[in-house]
C-alpha cells in the first residue's frame, strides 16, 4: 500500500519549519506502510552545504570508527577537501568539498561494503527498518530546516523488508524517487538497463524506476519528459514523486489506481497519499487542492 508525503517550500520564511511540517504529514500516513521508512531533505543546514558534495551511506555502522573513515578519506582527497564524517540516526553522512564522483570513488575504496543511498550537493537521504515515526525521530526530522522534504512509509510487496529496499531511491546527484504501487515489467527493464552498464544496489522495483529516470536525464530529457517516457515504458499501478535540487514532480499511472492529493499555495506545494496528511498545513483552508489526473506529469520549481 505505502504512503507518500512530500513538501516543497516556495517561501523561504517557511524553511525553518520544513522538518516539523513533513514530520506532521508523515505521521498521518504511517498505517499505509509500517515496515520501514525513508526521508530525503534538501538544503538542510548541518547535513549539506553549498559547494560540498555529500554522500548518504546506509547504516550507522560502516565497520570502521568515524575518525578512521575521515583519516582514510583525507589520504585520498585533496587537502582542501575539508572531509567530514558524521552519523545521523541510522545513516552515515560523508561530505567533502570535491566533486561527487571523486568522493564516491574515495568512499568506495575506503568502505567497499558500503551502500550509497543519497548523493549530491543539496540532498541528504536517510532510511531504516522499523516504525516510521521512530525512524523520523532517530534522525531528528522535526527539527530540520530545508527547502524540500520527501518521505515514504513502506509496506513491502515486491521485495524483502530491508533498509536498502526502503524508499527514496537516490541514484544520481540530488535526484530522489518514491513510489506507491508496483511495476509489473520491472525485471525486463532492469535487464535492458544492465545491458547499458547500469549497476543496481537492490532487487526493488522502485530502484528500476529511479535508474531509468536517471538514464533518461543523462540522455538529455528534462524531468517532465523523463517521466512521460517512463509512462510509455513501465507497466503497473503507481504514484511517483520525484525531486531534484530545485524541482518536484508527481505522476500517476494512466488508470490512477493509487491515491494522491495535492495542495498548492503561493508558499508551498504539498503532496500526500491521503488528505489527512495535508490538513494541518498552514493556509490549507485557502489552498488549491486537487487529485492529479491519470498519466499527467505535474512539475514545480523553487
Amino acid at each position: 500500500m505505502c504512503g507518500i508525503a512530500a513538501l516543497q517550500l516556495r517561501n523561504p520564511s517557511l524553511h525553518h519549519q520544513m522538518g516539523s511540517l513533513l514530520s506532521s504529514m508523515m505521521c498521518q500516513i504511517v498505517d499505509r506502510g509500517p515496515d520501514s521508512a525513508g526521508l530525503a531533505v534538501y538544503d538542510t543546514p548541518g547535513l549539506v552545504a553549498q559547494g560540498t558534495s555529500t554522500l548518504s551511506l546506509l547504516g550507522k555502522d560502516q565497520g570502521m570508527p568515524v575518525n578512521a573513515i575521515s583519516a582514510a578519506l583525507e589520504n585520498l582527497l585533496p587537502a582542501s577537501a575539508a572531509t567530514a564524517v558524521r552519523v545521523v540516526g541510522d545513516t552515515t553522512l560523508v561530505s567533502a568539498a570535491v566533486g561527487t564522483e571523486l568522493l564516491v570513488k574515495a568512499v568506495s575504496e575506503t568502505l567497499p561494503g558500503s551502500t550509497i543511498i543519497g548523493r549530491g550537493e543539496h540532498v541528504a537521504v536517510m532510511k531504516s527498518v522499523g516504525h516510521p515515526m521512530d525512524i523520523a525521530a532517530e534522525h531528528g526530522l522535526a527539527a530540520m530546516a530545508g527547502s524540500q522534504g520527501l518521505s515514504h512509509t513502506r509496506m513491502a510487496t515486491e521485495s524483502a523488508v530491508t533498509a536498502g529496499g526502503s524508499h527514496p531511491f537516490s541514484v544520481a546527484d540530488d535526484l530522489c524517487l518514491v513510489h506507491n504501487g508496483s511495476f509489473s515489467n520491472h525485471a525486463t527493464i532492469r535487464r535492458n538497463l544492465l545491458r547499458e552498464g547500469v549497476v543496481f544496489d537492490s532487487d526493488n522495483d522502485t530502484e528500476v524506476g529511479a535508474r531509468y529516470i536517471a538514464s533518461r536525464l543523462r540522455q538529455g530529457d528534462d524531468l517532465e519528459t523523463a517521466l512521460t517516457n517512463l509512462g510509455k515504458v513501465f507497466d503497473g499501478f503507481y504514484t511517483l514523486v520525484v525531486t531534484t535540487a530545485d524541482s518536484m514532480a508527481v505522476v500517476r499511472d494512466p488508470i490512477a489506481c493509487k491515491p494522491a492529493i495535492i495542495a498548492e499555495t503561493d508558499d508551498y506545494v504539498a503532496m500526500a497519499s491521503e488528505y489527512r496528511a495535508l490538513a494541518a498545513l498552514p493556509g490549507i483552508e485557502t489552498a488549491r487542492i486537487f487529485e492529479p489526473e491519470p498519466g499527467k506529469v505535474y512539475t514545480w520549481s523553487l
Side-chain angles (χ1 to χ4, degrees):
M1 187 163 60
C2 298
I4 297 171
L7 181 64
Q8 181 187 81
L9 295 172
R10 294 165 161 175
N11 184 344
S13 70
L14 292 177
H15 284 190
H16 71 285
Q17 297 185 56
M18 186 280 297
S20 61
L21 293 173
L22 186 63
S23 181
S24 175
M25 293 173 68
M26 189 177 175
C27 182
Q28 299 301 320
I29 57 169
V30 167
D31 58 354
R32 297 189 62 86
D35 297 341
S36 53
L39 307 163
V41 294
Y42 286 79
D43 303 312
T44 298
L47 300 187
V48 298
Q50 189 172 1
T52 298
S53 296
T54 296
L55 302 184
S56 304
L57 308 183
L58 186 66
K60 58 188 174 183
D61 183 3
Q62 299 296 322
M64 293 174 62
V66 166
N67 58 354
I69 298 172
S70 294
L73 291 173
E74 287 169 358
N75 289 331
L76 297 172
L77 296 172
S80 59
T83 304
V85 182
R86 57 202 179 282
V87 173
V88 179
D90 197 29
T91 303
T92 302
L93 298 177
V94 180
S95 300
V98 297
T100 307
E101 291 304 325
L102 180 57
L103 185 56
V104 168
K105 184 176 184 296
V107 168
S108 297
E109 183 174 333
T110 303
L111 301 169
S114 65
T115 299
I116 297 171
I117 58 172
R119 52 184 288 167
E121 185 175 325
H122 298 271
V123 71
V125 176
M126 298 153 278
K127 50 189 183 180
S128 189
V129 171
H131 191 280
M133 296 317 297
D134 290 341
I135 294 168
E138 287 167 6
H139 289 88
L141 173 63
M144 291 180 183
S147 59
Q148 296 185 126
L150 181 62
S151 64
H152 185 272
T153 63
R154 184 176 184 227
M155 180 177 289
T157 56
E158 291 293 329
S159 58
V161 179
T162 64
S166 304
H167 310 191
F169 280 91
S170 179
V171 300
D173 283 9
D174 297 316
L175 175 71
C176 291
L177 178 146
V178 296
H179 173 205
N180 175 22
S182 174
F183 294 131
S184 58
N185 62 337
H186 65 93
T188 298
I189 298 169
R190 181 189 293 266
R191 287 192 292 270
N192 292 338
L193 291 171
L194 285 169
R195 283 193 286 269
E196 296 175 10
V198 174
V199 177
F200 288 82
D201 295 322
S202 76
D203 59 356
N204 192 289
D205 62 325
T206 304
E207 185 183 358
V208 180
R211 298 283 179 187
Y212 176 85
I213 292 170
S215 175
R216 294 302 315 181
L217 293 174
R218 285 195 300 271
Q219 294 175 57
D221 285 1
D222 60 22
L223 184 57
E224 181 176 357
T225 303
L227 285 168
T228 299
N229 284 323
L230 179 144
K232 297 174 182 177
V233 174
F234 282 73
D235 293 328
F237 304 120
Y238 55 84
T239 293
L240 304 179
V241 180
V242 181
T243 50
T244 70
D246 60 1
S247 61
M248 183 172 82
V250 175
V251 65
R252 301 167 81 188
D253 67 76
I255 302 176
C257 179
K258 296 297 181 179
I261 187 82
I262 293 170
E264 185 174 10
T265 73
D266 291 340
D267 290 332
Y268 62 80
V269 178
M271 178 272 174
S273 297
E274 299 186 27
Y275 173 76
R276 60 181 174 166
L278 307 176
L281 291 174
I284 193 65
E285 63 278 359
T286 59
R288 176 186 175 230
I289 299 173
F290 62 98
E291 291 189 30
E293 297 178 16
K296 180 177 179 179
V297 179
Y298 295 79
T299 61
W300 300 269
S301 296
L302 288 168

